[in-house]
């Protein structure tokens, strides 16, 4: 794949005329060329022809970053350094956004381009009209050969390159080897949704590790099921499983973005009962659409952009209500249900329909009714259930067993395609799957399971560590933690203020960080954490460092309900006394009135344990866990409620800060 619009050795670049270089850029550009872009390219070419006259190496204009849906202005390979240049033509100031932008570009190469992992990375922001600039060359504290973003003007750019080369040491980068390096990104779900919505393929924005079934294979397996069902007029349902962060949601979005034409019978809809996820993805796509149109010289109102993405990602409850009011087949032949294990059982659905929808005689579970909606088609239909293990966190969530039971009760003609791992204990479907033994048209497919977490590109075993920690498998947790330690920072502390400092110190560029807590964490109020205080997940996940409502400000916190299905780069998990370690194992508590009460119901215990499983698997790059010290003067926050949990984690081997 050609990543840059223009790529040549520096010597060839210097021998070419600006017109020849511009012609190559124009011919490689798939978009309408604006005069401002043409002028910017000519300015950059002119600057670099002067600056690079004494250097050997390679130059790349408009280098693609598919994960971010953006292009780097210029990448230079000179000596042992990869220079990432972002030009702000005519600008006099260095905005925070621009500084983070060039840092993000450099981090993307550092983290996801395997030929860049061990190289020095120098992000440089050039505001061409800036005055009184004093460029500083220094490495970031992570000690991974990444330099802090360097601010300069045109006049000092040559000196900056010279100073960087003097500052570092190492062998010259081999151009051919660097260009042939694999780009293996792991985007956040928000980045992935934007990239897919803008016609990038899942192969471009996902890893393709040889040791794991990757997203492309799983997507292809589902596409084949859809093709077969359409061709032979089957009704089919397939169950896709995966560890937390493996990319199940990404698979669903990939299928949905392939079939967005509502006039085609392959038209698909991505459905989720996760309200915050739906709202955040819709808003992210709408904002991105406005930005892209603006960059191309067109204006589009945010309301118009929101309207366009609304049909692509829907709340499953709204889909259900539409099918209730209209008994015709839905316009979609393919429905992808994210977090299908969280669909409601019959009691919860009936109660909700009676109380909220004035429908007193509704007697279906949510899986049963949703299958019946697609079953209305006279020709073919496909349901894709994306299933997480140990992710049920709320009352009335049926688990995957209810989908199987519904198929067995009422939908005998449906073809069933099952992940080979659906019988694993965490999916809670082992017993009910035995009922499918004598049923025709049931097929187990290995490619429908995603075994490797992509959320943490630094360490895939985080979800395994969390499982071992929660299952009290101390020895195995120690071994897993030891394997993680080199690449994945994970620490514990008794002080929230220290945790906040740690987060800010770790994050670079626009890497997002925030505080997450259990929705039952009622006694964190002395630490200025109130789980009952309303927070807007759209602002928390999408807004910038300057916005007090964003996660960056470390004031508002997210619970398991806000953050399930989403992720941050760096996470602070603040642990309350609702879930405590003791010599007898985990204890489950609920705060009511002015004291803690034991949770007795097994179902509620499972939800609380799963809440901590969700909170502890939301980070991509590292995590700090805060176990407060308690207060001897406050009987609701006795140190005894917290100390054993802290000592348990310390005994496993978590480092203390």
């Amino acid at each position: 794949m050609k990543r840059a619009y223009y790529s040549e050795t520096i010597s060839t670049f210097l021998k070419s005329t600006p017109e020849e270089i511009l012609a190559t850029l124009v011919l490689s550009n798939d978009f309408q060329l604006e005069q401002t872009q043409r002028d910017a390219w000519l300015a950059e070419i002119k600057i670099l022809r002067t600056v690079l006259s004494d250097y050997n190496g390679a130059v790349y204009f408009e280098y693609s970053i598919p994960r971010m849906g953006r292009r780097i202005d210029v990448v230079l390979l000179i000596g042992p350094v990869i220079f990432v240049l972002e030009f702000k033509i005519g600008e006099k100031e260095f905005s925070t956004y621009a500084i983070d932008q060039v840092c993000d570009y450099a981090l993307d190469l550092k983290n996801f381009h395997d030929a860049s992992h061990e190289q020095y990375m120098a992000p440089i922001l050039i505001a061409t009209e800036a005055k009184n600039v004093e460029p500083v060359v220094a490495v970031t504290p992570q000690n991974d050969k990444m330099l802090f973003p360097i601010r300069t003007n045109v006049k000092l750019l040559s000196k900056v390159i010279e100073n960087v080369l003097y500052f570092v040491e190492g062998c010259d980068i081999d151009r051919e080897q660097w260009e042939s390096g694999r780009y293996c990104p792991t985007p956040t779900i928000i980045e992935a949704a934007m990239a897919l919505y803008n016609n990038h393929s899942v192969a471009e924005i996902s890893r393709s590790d040889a040791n794991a079934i990757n997203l492309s294979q799983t997507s292809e397996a589902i596409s084949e099921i859809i093709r077969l069902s359409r061709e032979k007029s089957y009704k089919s349902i397939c169950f896709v499983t995966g560890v937390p962060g493996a990319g199940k949601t990404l698979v669903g979005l990939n299928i949905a973005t392939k079939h967005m034409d509502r006039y085609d019978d392959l038209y698909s809809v991505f459905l989720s009962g996760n309200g915050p996820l739906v709202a955040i993805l819709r808003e992210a796509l709408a904002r991105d659409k406005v930005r892209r149109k603006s960059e191309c010289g067109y204006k589009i109102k945010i309301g118009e952009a929101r309207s366009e993405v609304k049909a692509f990602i829907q709340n499953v409850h709204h889909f259900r209500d539409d099918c209730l009011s209209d008994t015709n087949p839905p316009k979609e032949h393919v429905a992808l249900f994210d977090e299908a294990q969280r669909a409601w059982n019959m009691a919860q659905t009936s109660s909700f329909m009676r109380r909220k929808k004035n429908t007193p005689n509704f007697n279906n579970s949510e899986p049963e009714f949703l299958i019946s909606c697609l079953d209305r088609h006279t020709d073919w239909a496909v349901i894709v259930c994306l299933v997480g293990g140990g992710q049920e966190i709320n009352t009335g969530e049926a688990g995957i067993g209810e989908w199987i039971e519904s198929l067995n009760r009422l939908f005998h003609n449906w073809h069933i395609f099952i992940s080979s791992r659906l019988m694993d204990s965490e999916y809670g479907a082992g017993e009910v799957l035995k009922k499918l033994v004598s049923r025709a048209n049931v097929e187990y497919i290995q490619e429908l399971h995603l075994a490797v977490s992509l959320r943490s590109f630094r360490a895939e075993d985080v979800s395994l560590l969390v499982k071992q920690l929660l299952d009290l498998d101390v020895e195995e947790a120690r071994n897993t933690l030891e394997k993680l330690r080199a690449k994945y920072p994970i620490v514990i502390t008794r002080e929230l203020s220290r945790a906040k400092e740690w987060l800010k110190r770790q994050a670079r560029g626009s890497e997002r960080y925030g505080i997450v807590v259990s929705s039952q964490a009622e006694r964190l109020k002395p630490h200025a954490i109130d789980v009952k205080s309303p927070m807007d997940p759209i602002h928390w996940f999408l807004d910038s460092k300057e916005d007090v409502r964003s996660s960056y400000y470390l004031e508002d916190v997210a619970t398991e309900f806000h953050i399930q299905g989403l992720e941050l780069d760096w996470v602070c998990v603040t642990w309350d006394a609702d879930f405590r370690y003791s010599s007898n194992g985990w204890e489950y508590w609920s705060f009511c009135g002015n004291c803690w009460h034991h949770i007795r119901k097994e179902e509620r215990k499972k939800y609380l344990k799963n809440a901590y499983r969700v909170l502890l698997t939301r980070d991509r790059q590292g995590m700090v866990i805060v176990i407060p010290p308690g207060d001897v003067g406050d009987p609701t926050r006795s140190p005894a409620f917290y100390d054993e949990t802290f000592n348990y984690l310390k005994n496993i081997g978590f480092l203390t800060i």
Side-chain angles (χ1 to χ4, degrees), residues 174-190:
D174 183 289
R175 179 195 175 195
E176 289 186 6
Q177 185 179 357
W178 187 82
E179 288 182 359
S180 63
R182 291 188 313 151
Y183 179 64
C184 304
T186 57
T188 67
I189 193 60
I190 294 170

Side-chain angles (χ1 to χ4, degrees), residues 200-327:
H200 286 283
S201 72
V202 72
E204 284 184 286
I205 60 168
S206 64
R207 285 168 39 180
S208 53
D209 300 38
N211 65 339
I213 291 171
N214 64 54
L215 301 179
S216 295
Q217 289 175 273
T218 304
S219 295
E220 287 166 9
I222 296 170
S223 294
E224 179 60 18
I225 291 168
I226 293 171
R227 186 196 65 77
L228 190 69
S229 301
R230 183 191 196 191
E231 183 180 296
K232 297 184 178 292
S233 292
Y234 289 162
K235 305 271 179 66
S236 300
I237 185 168
C238 61
F239 296 92
V240 178
T241 57
V243 299
K248 298 178 294 293
T249 300
L250 179 52
V251 166
L253 289 169
N254 183 46
I255 298 296
T257 51
K258 285 180 179 177
H259 308 298
M260 290 195 295
D261 183 355
R262 60 189 301 127
Y263 300 107
D264 187 328
D265 69 348
L266 282 172
Y267 181 57
S268 306
V269 62
F270 179 86
L271 300 169
S272 175
N274 184 336
L277 176 69
V278 171
I280 290 162
L281 289 181
R282 280 179 170 177
E283 182 66 15
L285 291 177
R287 291 185 185 186
D288 186 59
K289 190 175 187 72
V290 170
R291 177 184 63 79
R292 288 176 182 275
K293 290 290 185 182
S294 176
E295 289 177 352
C296 294
Y298 302 104
K299 289 207 180 250
I300 180 174
K301 292 182 178 178
I302 188 68
E304 182 183 344
R306 287 171 180 152
S307 179
E308 288 184 23
V309 302
K310 199 171 184 179
F312 164 54
I313 299 174
Q314 294 185 34
N315 189 300
V316 68
H317 305 309
H318 297 163
F319 179 84
R320 176 201 62 202
D321 294 347
D322 288 343
C323 290
L324 198 63
S325 60
D326 183 352
T327 57

Side-chain angles (χ1 to χ4, degrees), residues 30 54 86 95 109 118 174 180 197 247 271 369 491 533 554 586 592 595 641 652:
D30 293 329
D54 295 330
E86 179 65 21
S95 69
L109 287 176
E118 304 303 323
D174 183 289
S180 63
Y197 194 67
L271 300 169
F369 181 70
V491 296
S533 178
L554 302 176
W586 294 113
C592 301
C595 61
F641 298 166
I652 288 174

